[in-house]
Structures are given as C-alpha cells and as structure tokens.
C-alpha cells in the first residue's frame, strides 16, 4: 500500500496546526502553545502525538469538550508549590504558564513542584520535562489518562497507561537524556495504529473485555492494556495516578472521559511536575557524574541514552522536513476552511 | 529439610541487633537507627533485609568498610534543599537525621528534597518513605547500588537493581499504600537465596557473564540482572541512577564497591528523597481521591494495594513474634560474644 505524502517545514506545520486550532475557536495563546507541541512531536518523530492527534484536539475544542479559550489560573500556594487550574482547557498552555512560576522557585529553592488539574491530554510528557531541563533543572513528570489498565491481580481498569518522564539537564541549556515511558507494555496508540492498518497485535499487549489475552486490536481497545513487567508496571501506574490525579486534584482515571471521542464532559485529568536544581544538591559532582554515566552507556555497542532517537530525528527533520500523509493534510485544511457540503 | 528456628518479640530482635552492632564498634545512635530498621524489616516480613543482613552490616563496621561511629553532616543548601553527607557511615542514621530537617521544610514549603551521599545500603527503601507518610507527607525515594544490570541494548552492568519507592499518607499518621520495587525482574537477593538453597532460577531473571540467559544463580551473580519489562525497567534504573547517584553526588553504580563482601573502600552510594505536602496541592481533593482510588483497587477480588503485605505481616508478628533460623541467632550471638577458638 502506497500512501501519498506531503513534506512541510516545521514552520509550515506550526502554521497549519495554529490555523486549524484558531478555526475551532481556540484563543491565540492557547493555539500557539498546542501548535508548538504538535510541531515538536513531528520534529521528534513521535507522529502519534503530532498532526495525527490534531483533528481530535480541534474536534474537542469545537464541540466544547475542551474550552479552547480557557485561561489557566496559576497560584503559588507555598514557597515551593504551584498549582494550575487548566479550567477545562488544553493542558499545554496551562503547563507553559505554570512553568513560568515554577522555574524560578526551583532555581532559588532547590526544588519546587507543580500540580495541574481540570486538564487534558498533555501530548508527549517528555516534551514538558525537557523544557525544564532546557532551563537548567532536572524535570520529573507524571500524567494520568482515562482508565485502560487493571491493577495487579484485578480485572477492571483503574489506571491509564500512565507515563512517567525525567529529563536531566546537560549544564549547557539542553537535556542530556529524556526518559519518557508509559507504564503499559505499549502505549494505547499502538493498538489504534494496528487497528487502522488491519493488523493483529502480539500476545501480551492487551486483554479483551472478558480478561482473556487477545491479538485483535479492536478487542484490546474494548478490554484492558497490560502493564510492563507485570505487577511492576502496575506499581508505576499507581505511583503516577497518586501524583497526577490524587496529588494534583484532578479526575481519577476511573472518572475521566475519553481523550478519543466527543462524549462526556471535559476529561479533567491531571499532571504533576517536580523541578530540581542540581546546583543545590550533588556535592558539586552532578555534571561530572552525568558525563561519566552517559559515557558508560554510550560506550556500549547497541546501547544509547533514552532521548537519543528524538535528538537524531531533529537532525533528520532539519535537513529533510516533516513528511506526513496527504489525506491528513487535506483533513486539516478542511478544518481550517470547510468544503461546502 | 527442617530448619530449626527461634521466635523472639520485636523488642528482643531490636536488642539483639543493637548489641551486635555495638559489639562491632558502631556508636549507640547509629546502632539504634540500624537496629530499628532491621527489626522493622522482620516485622514487615521482608527477611532478606532483616536479621539475615545483620552479620554483613556488623562485618562492614568491624573491618572499616563502613565507619560505625560516623556522624552524618546535614546541611540546608536552599529553602527546600537538604544534603546529607553520611561520611562513609550507615545510611539509616544519615537518612533519619536528614529527615528531621527535610520534614518541616516540606510541610511549610509544599515540597522539599534531600540528597544523601557517601552512604551505604539503606535496606528497605519503602521503610524510609513510609516514615515521611507517617509525618503527613507523600514520600518519593530513590537509592542506587553497585552495578549489576546492563543498559538497554548493552551487555556491561551500569546500574544496580535500583529501586524506586512511594508512600502516600492517609491523613491520619499512617501510610495508605507503599510502592517499593526494584527495576530488575527480581531483587539480587533472590539469586543469593536460590544459590544458598541449591535451586535453579527461572529463565528471564539473569544473564551469565557471557550475556547468555542462565538458570544457575551462581552464574547469574557473576553476570547481570535483567530489567523488569525490558527497556522500561532499564529506563527506571537510569532515572534512579540519575537521582540517587548523579543528583545526590554519590558514587555511580560502576564505581561503588560491593554491599556483600569486605573488599574495597566504602561503597559511597546514594539516596534521594522528595517529600510533598498534599495540603498545598490537590485542590483539597487529595484525601477523597486517595480513598476512592484505594477503593477501586480493593474492591476487585485478587487485587490489593501495594504495602498490604507489610501491614498484614505486622498483625501476624504482633500476635506470633518473629521466627528466624536458630543458626542465624547463634551467629549473631557469636558476634556479640565471640566464642574462644
């Protein structure tokens, strides 16, 4: 099967996403923030969170499941604590605005934390913690999602595929490494991709609605995702749910409406971020330790630091542009300027 | 095979451990701190970190690999930052003393963090984060260990079986749940236990020194431990190494001397703790969210909250005492009062 494609520059992709979001009633600053993250996902080669996600973002803004004009409310509740009420809007502008308050607190105080509630799908979690690393801080991030994974020993979904992310600064305004991984064997979007392509999934990714192993992605989407490393993945998912839902004051996974369809109220999911300044810890050994740790990994054939794939993709895209299906391009153009029926 | 056992009360176990540590030149406050953790491990049913570990602790204090009389140096380096130099002593007194500085900072400021360096094996990581939960704080903990696990795609050990732990407060002076899990499929102590019992290990736990799967625990101990959930376990191990070694200013796993033998200098490994006060986040929904999350898990037959095993063990031990091998008891008595040769 040959898919017709189109290739655009990152600026063109940004303009496309920005225009589509505006056309659906998103405010300019919110559209800017979301378009920047969509473009970054494409540049990093993470297409599942790039333009492919944009039509859903637009639909949600249009149908009111997300309030495109929401203005996030940022509060400093204590010396090292920031809370952000996303007010049923997009996650990205809420996180961006919150970081402006969080970063100086962490830089001065050594560590600071930020909760985001009444929020939404934040896209690539690593994107946000990398923004902290670019400001010289180690970033730890947690985000929850509608329930799709059962607790260890149970059958009913209680957790999303709850990812955790860490970006470590390199001391020169960049991230040295970015860990960004879901607590399930694979992200749910893998099932969507397989279903769309009419492909089976390997055993061990998902269970059907009856709790039986399945190789049918459609059945898996009606059932539950399997945790990575059995009870340990479920343990990570629980940690994330505690941080990003309970501690953030967001909707629990069991209460959150879907990120995928237009039904229900806003998902009101949450995020939680911790920013740590290596200058106040580490006995002045942080930079040297990180350099040696990275060296011990990179010296091994076949091993590489997490995040290296994103960094490599950035170079490729800078040279060759962003290539994506022509049908998706047309679908987005149609959001910007609907064809007459 | 029948193993002769002895049953003691927790107070008797504490006195036994305390006396053994004193006999090896450990100062009274340090011995108190370590004995308390050894007793707690037994009470929690985690025998691998209880009395079974005590002879090694004692040997390390006696041979000078650990300085039993070290006095940890606690510094407040910023409004929310505490560093603890364990000064090549036991980890437990360093953590205990550091927490006295950390807890009020987190209670007032919303979040605070603490690094521990020039430290040692901290025993059960969950024990420490639970102490934060008992003081009303959510505790996140990381600790590194001598290298025994390879990075994803590599062959040479770069990480320990680096655990991560989280304890969430229940609002009434107790932990509601304790996640405490290594990033490997099983903890290294499982291989030691199997080797001692002359048993094979399942495939998938460890590789031999040549990088081949092995079912021989002795070969596994010479090789590397396998990460839980493949690259995701390696990702968690890297996160822990970044926090507990690089950020803490401790020895990297690749540099740390063994926790098991008397060779080399002090291990100088590290710990990192983050304490979060739910009162400053959570939009006043923390307690209700935690109650509902716990309920959604406990309502499922076969599912239970992490930490439930420890809480159940506490009840059993309170009724029936701590039972352990008579040979181990004699070995410990012999540390306290050596027999004539």
């Amino acid at each position: 099967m040959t898919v017709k494609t189109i290739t655009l520059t990152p600026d063109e992709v940004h303009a496309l996403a920005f225009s589509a979001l505006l056309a659906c009633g998103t405010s300019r600053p919110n559209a800017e923030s979301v378009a920047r993250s969509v473009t970054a996902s494409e540049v990093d080669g993470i297409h599942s969170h790039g333009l492919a996600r944009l039509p859903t973002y637009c639909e949600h803004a249009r149908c009111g499941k997300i309030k495109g004009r929401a203005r996030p409310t940022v509060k400093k509740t204590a010396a090292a604590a920031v809370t952000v009420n996303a007010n049923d809007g997009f996650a990205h502008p809420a996180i961006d605005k919150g970081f402006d308050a969080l970063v100086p607190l962490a830089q001065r105080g050594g560590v600071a934390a930020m909760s985001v509630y009444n929020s939404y799908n934040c896209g690539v979690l690593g994107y946000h913690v990398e923004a902290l690393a670019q400001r010289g801080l180690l970033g730890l991030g947690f985000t929850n999602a509608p329930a799709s994974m059962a607790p260890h020993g149970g059958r009913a979904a209680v957790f999303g595929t709850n990812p955790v992310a860490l970006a470590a600064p390199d001391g020169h305004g960049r991230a040295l490494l970015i860990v960004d991984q879901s607590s399930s064997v694979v992200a749910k979007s893998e099932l969507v991709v397989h279903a769309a392509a009419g492909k089976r999934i390997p055993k061990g990714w998902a269970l059907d609605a009856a709790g039986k192993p399945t190789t049918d992605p459609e059945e898996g989407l009606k059932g539950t995702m399997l945790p990575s490393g059995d009870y340990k993945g479920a343990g990570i998912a629980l940690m994330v749910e505690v941080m990003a839902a309970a501690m953030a004051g967001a909707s629990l996974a069991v209460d959150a409406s879907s990120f995928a369809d237009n039904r229900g109220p806003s998902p009101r999911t949450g995020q939680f971020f911790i920013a740590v300044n290596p200058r106040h810890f580490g006995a002045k050994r942080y930079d040297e330790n990180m350099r040696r740790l990275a060296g011990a990994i990179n010296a091994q054939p076949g091993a590489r630091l997490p995040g290296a794939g994103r960094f490599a993709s950035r170079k490729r895209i800078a040279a060759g542009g962003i290539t994506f299906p022509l049908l998706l391009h047309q679908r987005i153009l149609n959001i910007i300027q609907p064809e007459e029926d």
Side-chain angles (χ1 to χ4, degrees), chain A residues 186-256:
Chain A
V186 295
K188 213 171 162 180
S189 54
E190 286 291 329
L191 267 60
V192 176
V193 167
H194 277 71
K199 286 189 199 161
R200 314 293 292 182
I201 53 169
K203 246 187 185 173
W205 282 14
L207 303 179
D208 66 18
K212 299 249 175 326
T214 183
T215 59
D216 180 339
E218 300 282 8
E219 293 302 316
L221 285 168
K222 290 180 211 152
T224 56
M225 302 297 294
L226 280 163
S228 164
D230 197 30
Y231 79 92
K232 294 198 172 174
I236 299 292
L238 175 59
M239 289 176 61
V240 172
E241 190 72 6
V242 168
M243 300 307 294
M247 183 60 84
S251 283
L252 293 175
V254 290
D255 297 323

Coordinates of all heavy atoms in Angstrom, one line a residue, chain A residues 186-256:
Chain A
V186 N 2.9 -1.4 25.8 CA 2.9 -0.4 24.7 C 1.8 0.6 25.0 O 0.9 0.4 25.8 CB 2.6 -1.0 23.3 CG1 3.7 -2.0 22.9 CG2 1.2 -1.7 23.3
A187 N 2.0 1.8 24.4 CA 1.0 2.9 24.5 C -0.3 2.4 23.8 O -0.2 1.7 22.8 CB 1.6 4.2 24.0
K188 N -1.4 3.0 24.2 CA -2.7 2.6 23.7 C -2.7 3.0 22.2 O -3.4 2.3 21.4 CB -3.8 3.4 24.4 CG -5.1 2.6 24.5 CD -6.0 3.3 25.5 CE -7.4 2.9 25.2 NZ -8.3 3.6 26.1
S189 N -2.0 4.0 21.8 CA -2.0 4.5 20.4 C -1.5 3.4 19.5 O -1.8 3.3 18.3 CB -1.2 5.8 20.3 OG 0.1 5.6 20.8
E190 N -0.6 2.5 20.0 CA -0.2 1.3 19.2 C -1.3 0.4 18.7 O -1.3 -0.1 17.6 CB 0.8 0.5 19.9 CG 2.2 1.1 20.1 CD 3.0 1.2 18.8 OE1 2.8 0.3 17.9 OE2 3.7 2.2 18.6
L191 N -2.3 0.3 19.6 CA -3.5 -0.5 19.3 C -4.3 0.2 18.2 O -4.8 -0.4 17.3 CB -4.3 -0.8 20.5 CG -4.0 -2.1 21.2 CD1 -2.6 -2.2 21.7 CD2 -5.0 -2.3 22.4
V192 N -4.4 1.5 18.3 CA -5.2 2.3 17.4 C -4.5 2.2 16.0 O -5.2 2.0 15.0 CB -5.3 3.8 17.8 CG1 -6.0 4.6 16.8 CG2 -6.0 3.9 19.2
V193 N -3.2 2.3 16.0 CA -2.4 2.2 14.7 C -2.6 0.8 14.1 O -2.9 0.7 12.9 CB -0.9 2.5 15.0 CG1 -0.1 2.1 13.8 CG2 -0.7 4.0 15.4
H194 N -2.5 -0.2 14.9 CA -2.7 -1.6 14.3 C -4.1 -1.8 13.8 O -4.3 -2.4 12.8 CB -2.3 -2.6 15.4 CG -0.9 -2.9 15.5 ND1 0.0 -2.0 16.0 CD2 -0.1 -4.0 15.1 CE1 1.2 -2.5 16.0 NE2 1.2 -3.7 15.4
A195 N -5.1 -1.3 14.6 CA -6.5 -1.4 14.2 C -6.7 -0.8 12.8 O -7.3 -1.3 11.9 CB -7.4 -0.9 15.2
A196 N -6.2 0.5 12.7 CA -6.3 1.2 11.4 C -5.7 0.5 10.3 O -6.2 0.6 9.1 CB -5.7 2.6 11.6
A197 N -4.6 -0.2 10.5 CA -3.9 -0.9 9.4 C -4.4 -2.3 9.2 O -3.9 -3.0 8.4 CB -2.4 -0.9 9.8
G198 N -5.4 -2.7 10.1 CA -5.9 -4.1 9.9 C -5.0 -5.1 10.3 O -5.1 -6.3 9.9
K199 N -4.0 -4.8 11.2 CA -3.0 -5.8 11.7 C -3.4 -6.4 13.1 O -4.0 -5.7 13.9 CB -1.7 -5.1 11.8 CG -1.0 -4.8 10.5 CD 0.4 -4.3 10.7 CE 1.0 -3.6 9.5 NZ 2.2 -2.8 9.9
R200 N -2.9 -7.6 13.3 CA -3.1 -8.2 14.6 C -2.0 -7.6 15.6 O -1.0 -7.0 15.1 CB -2.8 -9.7 14.6 CG -3.5 -10.5 13.5 CD -5.0 -10.5 13.6 NE -5.5 -11.3 14.8 CZ -6.8 -11.5 15.0 NH1 -7.7 -11.0 14.3 NH2 -7.1 -12.3 16.1
I201 N -2.2 -7.7 16.8 CA -1.2 -7.3 17.8 C -0.6 -8.5 18.5 O -1.2 -9.6 18.5 CB -1.8 -6.4 18.9 CG1 -3.0 -7.0 19.6 CG2 -2.2 -5.0 18.3 CD1 -3.5 -6.3 20.8
P202 N 0.7 -8.4 18.9 CA 1.3 -9.6 19.6 C 0.5 -9.9 20.9 O 0.0 -9.0 21.5 CB 2.7 -9.1 19.9 CG 2.9 -7.9 19.1 CD 1.6 -7.3 18.8
K203 N 0.5 -11.2 21.3 CA 0.0 -11.5 22.6 C 0.8 -10.8 23.7 O 2.0 -10.6 23.5 CB 0.2 -13.0 22.8 CG -1.2 -13.7 22.9 CD -1.0 -15.2 23.3 CE -2.3 -15.9 23.3 NZ -2.2 -17.3 23.5
G204 N 0.2 -10.4 24.7 CA 0.9 -9.8 25.8 C 0.8 -8.3 25.8 O 1.4 -7.6 26.7
W205 N 0.1 -7.7 24.8 CA -0.1 -6.3 24.8 C -1.4 -5.9 25.6 O -1.4 -4.9 26.3 CB -0.2 -5.7 23.4 CG 1.2 -5.6 22.7 CD1 2.4 -6.1 23.1 CD2 1.4 -4.8 21.5 NE1 3.4 -5.7 22.2 CE2 2.8 -5.0 21.2 CE3 0.6 -4.1 20.6 CZ2 3.4 -4.4 20.1 CZ3 1.2 -3.5 19.5 CH2 2.6 -3.6 19.3
A206 N -2.4 -6.7 25.3 CA -3.8 -6.3 25.8 C -4.6 -7.5 26.1 O -4.4 -8.7 25.7 CB -4.5 -5.5 24.8
L207 N -5.6 -7.3 27.0 CA -6.7 -8.4 27.2 C -8.0 -7.9 26.6 O -8.2 -6.7 26.5 CB -6.8 -8.6 28.7 CG -5.6 -8.9 29.5 CD1 -5.9 -9.1 31.0 CD2 -5.0 -10.2 29.0
D208 N -8.9 -8.8 26.3 CA -10.2 -8.4 25.8 C -11.1 -8.1 27.0 O -10.7 -8.2 28.1 CB -10.8 -9.5 24.8 CG -11.1 -10.8 25.5 OD1 -11.2 -10.8 26.8 OD2 -11.2 -11.8 24.8
A209 N -12.3 -7.7 26.6 CA -13.3 -7.3 27.7 C -13.5 -8.4 28.7 O -13.9 -8.1 29.9 CB -14.6 -6.8 27.1
A210 N -13.3 -9.6 28.3 CA -13.5 -10.7 29.3 C -12.3 -11.1 30.1 O -12.3 -12.0 30.8 CB -14.0 -12.0 28.5
G211 N -11.2 -10.3 29.8 CA -10.0 -10.5 30.6 C -9.1 -11.6 30.0 O -8.2 -12.1 30.6
K212 N -9.4 -12.0 28.7 CA -8.6 -13.0 28.0 C -7.6 -12.3 27.1 O -7.9 -11.3 26.5 CB -9.5 -13.9 27.2 CG -10.5 -14.7 27.9 CD -10.2 -16.1 27.9 CE -11.2 -17.0 28.8 NZ -11.7 -16.3 30.0
P213 N -6.4 -12.9 27.0 CA -5.4 -12.4 26.0 C -5.9 -12.3 24.6 O -6.7 -13.2 24.2 CB -4.2 -13.4 26.1 CG -4.4 -14.1 27.4 CD -5.9 -14.1 27.7
T214 N -5.6 -11.3 23.9 CA -6.2 -11.1 22.6 C -5.1 -10.6 21.6 O -4.1 -10.0 22.0 CB -7.4 -10.1 22.5 OG1 -7.9 -10.1 21.2 CG2 -7.0 -8.7 22.9
T215 N -5.2 -11.0 20.3 CA -4.3 -10.4 19.3 C -5.1 -9.5 18.4 O -4.6 -9.1 17.3 CB -3.7 -11.6 18.5 OG1 -4.7 -12.3 17.8 CG2 -2.8 -12.5 19.3
D216 N -6.4 -9.3 18.7 CA -7.2 -8.4 17.9 C -7.2 -7.0 18.6 O -7.7 -6.8 19.7 CB -8.7 -8.9 17.9 CG -9.6 -8.1 17.1 OD1 -9.3 -6.9 16.9 OD2 -10.7 -8.6 16.7
P217 N -6.7 -6.0 17.9 CA -6.5 -4.7 18.5 C -7.9 -4.0 18.9 O -8.0 -3.4 19.9 CB -5.8 -3.8 17.4 CG -6.0 -4.5 16.1 CD -6.1 -6.0 16.5
E218 N -8.9 -4.3 18.1 CA -10.3 -3.8 18.4 C -10.8 -4.4 19.7 O -11.4 -3.7 20.5 CB -11.3 -4.2 17.3 CG -10.9 -3.6 15.9 CD -11.3 -2.1 15.7 OE1 -11.6 -1.5 16.7 OE2 -11.1 -1.6 14.6
E219 N -10.5 -5.7 19.9 CA -11.0 -6.3 21.2 C -10.1 -5.8 22.3 O -10.6 -5.6 23.4 CB -10.8 -7.8 21.1 CG -11.7 -8.5 20.1 CD -13.2 -8.3 20.4 OE1 -13.6 -8.3 21.6 OE2 -14.0 -7.9 19.5
G220 N -8.8 -5.5 22.1 CA -8.0 -5.0 23.1 C -8.4 -3.6 23.5 O -8.4 -3.2 24.7
L221 N -8.9 -2.8 22.5 CA -9.4 -1.4 22.9 C -10.6 -1.5 23.7 O -10.9 -0.5 24.5 CB -9.6 -0.6 21.6 CG -8.3 -0.2 20.9 CD1 -8.5 0.4 19.5 CD2 -7.6 0.9 21.7
K222 N -11.4 -2.6 23.6 CA -12.6 -2.7 24.5 C -12.2 -3.3 25.8 O -13.0 -3.3 26.7 CB -13.6 -3.6 23.8 CG -14.3 -3.0 22.5 CD -15.3 -4.0 21.9 CE -15.4 -3.8 20.4 NZ -15.8 -5.1 19.7
G223 N -11.0 -3.9 25.9 CA -10.6 -4.5 27.1 C -9.6 -3.7 27.9 O -9.8 -2.5 28.1
T224 N -8.5 -4.3 28.3 CA -7.5 -3.5 29.1 C -6.1 -3.7 28.5 O -5.8 -4.7 27.9 CB -7.5 -4.0 30.6 OG1 -7.2 -5.4 30.6 CG2 -8.8 -3.7 31.3
M225 N -5.3 -2.7 28.8 CA -3.9 -2.8 28.4 C -3.1 -3.5 29.5 O -3.4 -3.5 30.6 CB -3.3 -1.4 28.3 CG -4.0 -0.5 27.3 SD -3.9 -1.1 25.6 CE -2.1 -0.9 25.3
L226 N -2.0 -4.3 29.1 CA -1.2 -5.0 30.1 C -0.1 -4.1 30.5 O 0.6 -3.4 29.7 CB -0.8 -6.3 29.5 CG -1.8 -7.4 29.5 CD1 -1.5 -8.5 28.6 CD2 -2.1 -7.9 30.9
P227 N 0.2 -4.2 31.9 CA 1.3 -3.4 32.4 C 2.7 -4.0 32.0 O 2.8 -5.2 31.8 CB 1.1 -3.5 33.9 CG 0.3 -4.7 34.1 CD -0.5 -4.9 32.9
S228 N 3.6 -3.1 31.8 CA 5.0 -3.5 31.5 C 5.6 -4.2 32.8 O 5.6 -3.6 33.9 CB 5.8 -2.3 31.2 OG 7.2 -2.6 31.2
G229 N 6.2 -5.4 32.6 CA 6.8 -6.1 33.7 C 5.8 -6.4 34.8 O 6.1 -6.4 36.0
D230 N 4.6 -6.8 34.4 CA 3.6 -7.4 35.3 C 3.3 -6.4 36.4 O 2.9 -5.3 36.2 CB 4.1 -8.7 35.8 CG 3.0 -9.6 36.4 OD1 1.8 -9.4 35.9 OD2 3.3 -10.4 37.3
Y231 N 3.4 -6.8 37.7 CA 3.0 -6.0 38.8 C 3.8 -4.7 38.9 O 3.4 -3.8 39.5 CB 3.0 -6.8 40.1 CG 4.3 -7.0 40.8 CD1 4.8 -6.1 41.7 CD2 5.1 -8.0 40.4 CE1 6.0 -6.2 42.3 CE2 6.4 -8.2 41.0 CZ 6.8 -7.3 42.0 OH 8.0 -7.5 42.6
K232 N 5.0 -4.7 38.4 CA 5.8 -3.5 38.5 C 5.3 -2.4 37.6 O 5.4 -1.2 38.0 CB 7.3 -3.9 38.2 CG 7.9 -4.8 39.2 CD 9.4 -4.9 39.3 CE 9.7 -5.7 40.5 NZ 11.2 -6.0 40.7
G233 N 4.8 -2.7 36.4 CA 4.2 -1.7 35.6 C 3.0 -1.1 36.3 O 2.7 0.1 36.2
A234 N 2.2 -2.1 36.9 CA 1.0 -1.6 37.6 C 1.4 -0.7 38.8 O 0.7 0.2 39.2 CB 0.2 -2.8 38.1
G235 N 2.6 -1.0 39.4 CA 3.1 -0.2 40.5 C 3.4 1.2 40.1 O 3.1 2.2 40.7
I236 N 4.1 1.3 38.9 CA 4.4 2.6 38.3 C 3.1 3.4 38.0 O 3.0 4.6 38.3 CB 5.3 2.5 37.1 CG1 6.6 1.8 37.4 CG2 5.6 3.8 36.4 CD1 7.6 2.5 38.3
A237 N 2.2 2.7 37.4 CA 0.9 3.3 37.0 C 0.2 3.9 38.3 O -0.4 5.0 38.3 CB 0.0 2.3 36.3
L238 N 0.3 3.1 39.4 CA -0.3 3.6 40.6 C 0.4 4.8 41.2 O -0.2 5.8 41.6 CB -0.3 2.5 41.7 CG -0.8 2.8 43.1 CD1 -2.2 3.3 43.1 CD2 -0.6 1.6 44.0
M239 N 1.7 4.8 41.1 CA 2.5 6.0 41.5 C 2.1 7.2 40.7 O 1.9 8.3 41.3 CB 4.0 5.7 41.3 CG 4.6 4.7 42.3 SD 6.4 4.4 41.9 CE 7.1 6.0 42.1
V240 N 1.9 7.0 39.4 CA 1.6 8.1 38.5 C 0.2 8.6 38.9 O -0.1 9.8 38.9 CB 1.7 7.7 37.0 CG1 1.1 8.8 36.1 CG2 3.1 7.4 36.7
E241 N -0.8 7.7 39.1 CA -2.1 8.1 39.4 C -2.2 8.8 40.8 O -2.9 9.8 40.9 CB -3.0 6.8 39.5 CG -4.5 7.1 39.6 CD -5.1 7.6 38.3 OE1 -4.4 7.6 37.3 OE2 -6.3 7.9 38.4
V242 N -1.4 8.4 41.7 CA -1.3 9.1 43.0 C -0.8 10.6 42.8 O -1.4 11.5 43.3 CB -0.4 8.4 44.0 CG1 -0.1 9.3 45.2 CG2 -1.0 7.1 44.5
M243 N 0.2 10.7 42.0 CA 0.8 12.1 41.7 C -0.1 12.9 40.9 O -0.4 14.1 41.2 CB 2.2 11.9 41.1 CG 3.3 11.2 41.9 SD 3.5 11.7 43.6 CE 4.2 13.3 43.3
A244 N -0.4 12.4 39.7 CA -1.1 13.2 38.7 C -2.6 13.4 38.9 O -3.2 14.3 38.3 CB -0.8 12.6 37.3
A245 N -3.2 12.5 39.7 CA -4.6 12.6 39.9 C -4.9 13.0 41.4 O -5.3 14.1 41.6 CB -5.4 11.3 39.6
A246 N -4.5 12.1 42.3 CA -4.8 12.4 43.7 C -4.1 13.7 44.2 O -4.7 14.6 44.7 CB -4.5 11.2 44.6
M247 N -2.8 13.7 44.0 CA -2.0 14.8 44.5 C -2.3 16.1 43.7 O -2.2 17.2 44.2 CB -0.5 14.5 44.4 CG 0.4 15.6 45.0 SD 0.1 15.9 46.7 CE 1.1 14.6 47.5
A248 N -2.6 16.0 42.4 CA -2.9 17.1 41.6 C -4.3 17.7 41.8 O -4.6 18.8 41.4 CB -2.6 16.8 40.1
G249 N -5.2 16.8 42.4 CA -6.6 17.3 42.5 C -7.3 17.2 41.2 O -8.3 17.9 41.0
A250 N -6.9 16.2 40.4 CA -7.5 16.0 39.1 C -8.5 14.9 39.1 O -8.7 14.2 40.2 CB -6.5 15.7 38.0
S251 N -9.2 14.6 38.0 CA -10.1 13.4 37.9 C -9.3 12.2 38.0 O -8.2 12.0 37.3 CB -10.9 13.4 36.6 OG -11.9 14.3 36.6
L252 N -9.7 11.2 38.8 CA -9.1 9.9 38.7 C -9.4 9.3 37.3 O -10.4 9.6 36.7 CB -9.8 9.0 39.8 CG -9.5 9.3 41.3 CD1 -10.3 8.4 42.2 CD2 -8.0 9.2 41.6
A253 N -8.5 8.4 36.9 CA -8.7 7.7 35.6 C -10.1 7.1 35.5 O -10.7 7.1 34.4 CB -7.6 6.6 35.5
V254 N -10.6 6.5 36.6 CA -11.9 5.9 36.5 C -13.1 6.9 36.3 O -14.1 6.4 35.9 CB -12.2 5.1 37.9 CG1 -11.3 3.8 38.0 CG2 -12.1 6.0 39.1
D255 N -12.8 8.1 36.5 CA -13.9 9.2 36.3 C -13.7 9.9 35.0 O -14.6 10.6 34.6 CB -13.8 10.2 37.5 CG -14.2 9.5 38.8 OD1 -15.0 8.6 38.8 OD2 -13.6 9.9 39.8
A256 N -12.5 9.9 34.4 CA -12.1 10.8 33.3 C -12.9 10.3 32.0 O -12.9 9.1 31.7 CB -10.6 10.8 33.1

